[in-house]
Amino acid sequence: MSVPLTAPSTATAVQASAEPLKVPPFKHPLDPLTPEEIVAVSHSVRRYVAEKTDVKAVRFITSYLLPPPKKAVLAYLGIPLQSGEKPEPAVEIVRKAEVDFVDAVAGNAYNAIVSLNGQEWVVDSLEKLPEGVQPQISVEELLMCEEIIRADERVVKLAAEVGVKPEQLHADGWAIGYDPRFPAKQRIQQALMFARWSRHENFYAHPLDFIPVVDSVAKKVIHIDFPPAFKPKDDNSLFEAAGVNADITATTTAPPAIETDSLEAAGRNRIPPPQESYDFLPDLLEQKEGFKFRDDLKPLHVIQPEGVSFKVDGHVLEWQKWKMHVAFHHREGIALSTITYNDDGTVRPIFYRLSLSEMVVPYGAPEHPHPRKHAFDVGEYGMGTMANELTLGCDCLGQIHYLPGAYVAHDGSAVVVKNVICIHEEDAGLLWKHTDFRVGGRAQAVRSRRLVIQQICTLANYEYIFNYMFYQDGNIEVEIRLTGILQVYVQGQDEPNSPFGTTLAPGVSAHYHQHIFSVRVDPMVDGLQNSVVETDIVPLPKAPLGSAANFSGNAFITRNTPIARASEGAREFDYSTDRRWAIVNPKKVHPASKRNAGYTIMGKGAAAPMMALDGSPVVKRAPFAKKPLWVVKDVEGPKGGRMWPSGKYVPQTRDTPADALPNWAKGDDSLLEEDLLVYITMGITHIPRPEDWPVMPVEHLRLLFRPTNFFTMNPSMDVPGANDSKSAPAFPAQSEAATGSACCAH
């Protein structure tokens, strides 16, 4: 269905104007929709739907800014298309929004484009999405999942059989993942089940042995799955050929037919939940016999008596020589745009946009229905809608500036998260130091300060901490910290340990899994026309040990290969050559090195190969995870540029969508001096430990963008030396020995 319009408009509809531009309804053209705008957009869509369609009930899912074209934004901000040149003439920008909603009666999904015309939002287009295409799962639908299972008689009966009362039932709603047994049109979730013995107790300590499937539109349970249990290996073990010393009670890891009794197919008896509590809240921990908090920690404060060194104007952030736009996005969480560096008076663009575009968490247990657990925490749920409201002195230390975020509720109102992004400064150790070791020589030490833009998101059991960090030497770092509670399943009293997981505590098993992230970089290194160069470090070719060219055998060189064509855009790591990539501007040449100005991608330590086999459902749905780096050409259309590596609409996909990375990395289109996108895959393979229970200590992933041939010399030479008057000896009685000689030139 496509509702006809008299004058369709697109995201690229900008008007050149010789007249003075009207005062725009935003400070920055990439400012996210305000709560008031979200409500106004909802009102416009609801009115249009009521007047021109037969949809009886609208369930809003997403409502967000449809960004203007890049060149229009850069012209508006006065950022040149090439460093050192004049910016393009400014154009008038039409503010637009994009909305996804579901017909709450029929279940069909729709996409609307709405534009601001004067003071009124007007629907430009309304499109019915193809059958089976589902917008992301909303927060309200996830909460609804728990209400649905508690109201279901079969679920209540199954829980009672293992000693759980209805009021003790809890469920984490998850996307169904991949299960073709259900019609593509149904909007469904799987409910991962737990029991809770008291109000704030850690219910993950009490997993249940069955998994209902719920229809979010019909609001009912439509199926219940029972995973098999493990048993000692016998002569007919399913895993004999793999050398795995275990077997399962089912005859296959494939899903049983939908009409089959799933408990009978699992081949096991019911398994009651473990009874032992494993809490994390301090008041509950204190009730545990023998527990005592550490009392030998002295306070550690972060103070800035003269205030912070950054400035914020709305969503525009300036710090040292950096300037950027910081926005909340319902899907990506933090989205950083128009990142520039003031290089001694020359504003040099570096990235047009930097964000987390997708992530997938594939679990490694093969027995049905566990393979359905491969959550797309960006595309299926929206990392932004899962963001925490941050707490001063807890999540962020020091002097903090917070930004709010807003997303749409089912009824079209705005859900506001007050402190969703925190901005602060941190000491980051030494930036550089040198000592003249000769007698009477002097030393200089300069400490590193970094700007941190942080967000914390809770995806059911897991927490993700996202830090975007900017340094005084031109480095940009993306750090992801993983914590929270492992996703667990019940283990029977005499059941052997799963070979695909770790038994964390009696009756509690955590499956092996991966966290694989796709970081989207929209580069504009010294301008929009960039190339990506692959660098291998190799021993001097055709020059063996003892040869005239390499007598001592120690010579090595760099071999640089530009990624020239779209079909070459999917790249592999090569550890044998210490491979790395750089985003460069071929028009900017360093005066000394004679090499192109660029930013090198340092992410080798964060690489994690996807363990699922090619052709598996998770690989089809998350093809980005098979390569550590992708380079594609950006193509802007009516709904913006290329964004989502697993497709725009991720829930319930059954194959690789047409609008996904592998389909962009095809053909002979040039990737040299073009408007490029770089997708970087980073991740970890998590083999759970008992030390990760009940709450996992943070695990770190780091991705660094480092200037290479970009500056004429170390850009941090003008940072003042270290001279902290508040530093003092830890033990004053030993002060003379502790202070030592001065390390700084002053």
Side-chain angles (χ1 to χ4, degrees):
M1 165 187 171
S2 182
V3 179
L5 301 166
T6 55
S9 61
T10 72
T12 54
V14 294
Q15 301 167 1
S17 175
E19 302 295 326
L21 297 179
K22 293 182 294 184
V23 177
F26 49 79
K27 281 191 171 183
H28 189 290
L30 298 179
D31 283 352
L33 297 184
T34 65
E36 294 78 15
E37 286 180 312
I38 289 173
V39 171
V41 167
S42 298
H43 177 72
S44 173
V45 170
R46 194 184 295 280
R47 183 177 59 197
Y48 185 92
V49 167
E51 292 175 355
K52 302 196 176 184
T53 76
D54 56 1
V55 175
K56 301 302 182 186
V58 172
R59 179 188 292 178
F60 288 97
I61 303 297
T62 62
S63 180
Y64 54 97
L65 178 75
L66 181 57
K70 293 178 196 177
K71 290 183 179 180
V73 172
L74 295 175
Y76 182 92
L77 299 175
I79 298 173
L81 298 181
Q82 180 76 17
S83 289
E85 297 181 356
K86 290 184 178 181
E88 297 287 299
V91 295
E92 186 175 346
I93 292 176
V94 178
R95 191 155 172 84
K96 291 177 176 286
E98 186 166 2
V99 177
D100 289 321
F101 67 87
V102 170
D103 180 338
V105 176
N108 300 314
Y110 295 83
N111 174 265
I113 304 299
V114 188
S115 63
L116 184 60
N117 185 358
Q119 300 298 312
E120 186 179 2
W121 288 90
V122 178
V123 174
D124 296 332
S125 65
L126 180 66
E127 176 189 4
K128 182 180 178 181
L129 300 179
E131 184 172 298
V133 173
Q134 298 286 351
Q136 74 178 47
I137 300 170
S138 69
V139 175
E140 290 163 280
E141 287 174 318
L142 294 172
L143 295 172
M144 186 193 305
C145 184
E146 194 162 80
E147 298 174 7
I148 293 169
I149 60 100
R150 285 178 178 163
D152 187 83
E153 292 181 2
R154 291 173 296 167
V155 170
V156 170
K157 181 176 182 295
L158 289 171
E161 290 173 358
V162 289
V164 178
K165 301 174 183 177
E167 63 270 18
Q168 295 172 325
L169 280 174
H170 285 70
D172 280 353
W174 278 45
I176 193 64
Y178 175 88
D179 196 330
R181 299 179 303 166
F182 302 102
K185 183 179 178 180
Q186 278 186 293
R187 189 167 170 84
I188 55 180
Q189 298 177 55
Q190 54 183 327
L192 306 184
M193 300 288 293
F194 305 90
R196 184 175 240 169
W197 307 146
S198 62
R199 174 74 172 88
H200 295 291
E201 191 229 9
N202 174 19
F203 60 75
Y204 293 107
H206 317 297
L208 300 184
D209 69 335
F210 62 102
I211 301 175
V213 177
V214 306
D215 184 317
S216 299
V217 175
K219 298 183 180 180
K220 65 179 182 180
V221 175
I222 59 174
H223 186 72
I224 295 175
D225 282 306
F226 289 86
F230 280 88
K231 65 179 183 179
K233 185 177 73 170
D234 58 26
D235 292 340
N236 297 314
S237 169
L238 286 177
F239 311 118
E240 179 69 36
V244 174
N245 189 27
D247 198 7
I248 56 174
T249 53
T251 59
T252 178
T253 60
I258 198 73
E259 64 275 6
T260 302
D261 184 306
S262 55
L263 180 59
E264 183 179 320
R268 63 158 172 90
N269 297 321
R270 297 297 306 283
I271 306 171
Q275 298 295 307
E276 182 71 23
S277 292
Y278 292 91
D279 290 308
F280 57 89
L281 294 173
D283 53 325
L284 299 181
L285 284 170
E286 287 176 327
Q287 297 174 18
K288 187 174 181 179
E289 185 177 350
F291 181 86
K292 179 177 177 292
F293 280 107
R294 302 181 191 191
D295 57 7
D296 56 352
L297 279 174
K298 300 291 195 280
L300 177 64
H301 302 293
V302 177
I303 60 171
Q304 293 179 275
E306 297 179 33
V308 299
S309 303
F310 58 83
K311 297 184 295 183
V312 179
D313 181 12
H315 290 271
V316 176
L317 171 63
E318 291 185 72
W319 178 76
Q320 302 281 288
K321 300 181 179 185
W322 292 102
K323 187 174 183 180
M324 68 200 73
H325 183 269
V326 183
F328 169 87
H329 192 278
H330 74 282
R331 184 160 172 165
E332 299 157 292
I334 292 174
L336 302 181
S337 302
T338 57
I339 300 170
T340 63
Y341 188 94
N342 190 325
D343 187 9
D344 293 331
T346 300
V347 174
R348 302 181 69 181
I350 296 174
F351 293 153
Y352 183 79
R353 202 169 191 275
L354 176 64
S355 63
L356 176 71
S357 59
E358 193 52 270
M359 67 166 293
V360 65
V361 188
Y363 283 75
E367 66 274 22
H368 178 79
H370 296 313
R372 290 195 311 222
K373 292 192 298 187
H374 52 269
F376 291 78
D377 289 334
V378 174
E380 287 180 331
Y381 311 108
M383 194 63 75
T385 63
M386 302 293 160
N388 294 184
E389 186 171 293
L390 302 174
T391 305
L392 189 65
C394 173
D395 298 308
C396 308
L397 301 183
Q399 292 191 224
I400 310 300
H401 178 74
Y402 292 103
L403 291 177
Y407 58 91
V408 73
H410 278 179
D411 63 1
S413 63
V415 179
V416 179
V417 188
K418 287 192 299 184
N419 298 338
V420 74
I421 295 172
C422 80
I423 301 169
H424 63 283
E425 295 172 287
E426 290 180 347
D427 179 87
L430 283 172
L431 177 60
W432 58 264
K433 178 178 179 175
H434 183 64
T435 300
D436 182 350
F437 70 90
R438 293 163 181 81
V439 175
R442 299 170 66 192
Q444 174 71 334
V446 175
R447 291 199 70 79
S448 176
R449 182 85 59 88
R450 68 186 176 198
L451 178 73
V452 182
I453 304 165
Q454 184 181 85
Q455 186 166 69
I456 304 175
C457 304
T458 298
L459 281 296
N461 53 299
Y462 244 95
E463 263 77 17
Y464 297 98
I465 303 167
F466 299 99
N467 292 325
Y468 292 83
M469 299 186 288
F470 293 80
Y471 292 84
Q472 293 157 307
D473 59 354
N475 282 351
I476 302 171
E477 184 177 11
V478 180
E479 181 196 53
I480 302 173
R481 301 185 186 185
L482 300 86
T483 180
I485 298 177
L486 294 165
Q487 208 290 313
V488 295
Y489 182 67
V490 65
Q491 182 176 340
Q493 184 174 359
D494 300 318
E495 183 180 347
N497 291 351
S498 167
F500 309 105
T502 301
T503 301
L504 303 174
V508 181
S509 178
H511 294 146
Y512 300 160
H513 59 281
Q514 297 185 284
H515 301 261
I516 303 179
F517 304 83
S518 180
V519 175
R520 181 183 183 270
V521 184
D522 189 343
M524 56 172 184
V525 176
D526 270 330
L528 276 180
Q529 277 64 53
N530 290 166
S531 302
V532 174
V533 175
E534 184 172 272
T535 298
D536 291 310
I537 303 170
V538 295
L540 186 63
K542 300 179 181 179
L545 178 68
S547 67
N550 193 16
F551 183 79
S552 297
N554 63 310
F556 59 88
I557 61 170
T558 58
R559 179 179 289 154
N560 299 315
T561 308
I563 300 171
R565 297 287 170 190
S567 58
E568 302 168 1
R571 309 308 301 168
E572 292 282 8
F573 264 126
D574 188 338
Y575 288 91
S576 68
T577 62
D578 200 9
R579 178 170 290 173
R580 71 278 311 269
W581 296 277
I583 305 166
V584 304
N585 188 321
K587 290 185 172 66
K588 299 291 287 189
V589 178
H590 192 277
S593 70
K594 305 304 181 186
R595 294 175 179 171
N596 296 138
Y599 261 74
T600 300
I601 300 166
M602 310 299 292
K604 182 172 61 176
M610 168 68 99
M611 292 298 168
L613 300 178
D614 288 347
S616 64
V618 65
V619 169
K620 287 181 180 179
R621 302 184 70 217
F624 70 88
K626 293 299 288 186
K627 301 289 183 181
L629 183 126
W630 300 76
V631 183
V632 299
K633 185 177 178 179
D634 196 11
V635 178
E636 290 187 296
K639 296 183 181 180
R642 289 172 164 172
M643 288 293 300
W644 314 113
S646 280
K648 181 176 181 178
Y649 297 107
V650 179
Q652 299 176 213
T653 54
R654 300 189 177 189
D655 210 328
T656 302
D659 60 335
L661 261 178
N663 295 316
W664 300 336
K666 290 180 178 178
D668 292 326
D669 287 347
S670 174
L671 297 180
L672 300 177
E673 298 187 44
E674 294 286 353
D675 182 4
L676 299 179
L677 297 174
V678 179
Y679 290 83
I680 302 162
T681 307
M682 56 191 292
I684 62 167
T685 301
H686 194 175
I687 306 300
R689 315 167 296 158
E691 291 87 350
D692 294 329
W693 180 254
V695 180
M696 175 181 138
V698 292
E699 187 153 354
H700 299 254
L701 275 173
R702 292 186 175 93
L703 171 65
L704 183 69
F705 300 96
R706 186 167 68 184
T708 306
N709 304 299
F710 190 81
F711 298 105
T712 55
M713 59 186 293
N714 180 350
S716 64
M717 293 305 298
D718 56 356
V719 178
N723 186 23
D724 180 25
S725 61
K726 301 294 183 182
S727 294
F731 306 103
Q734 302 172 9
S735 60
E736 185 175 346
T739 54
S741 59
C743 74
C744 302
H746 50 264

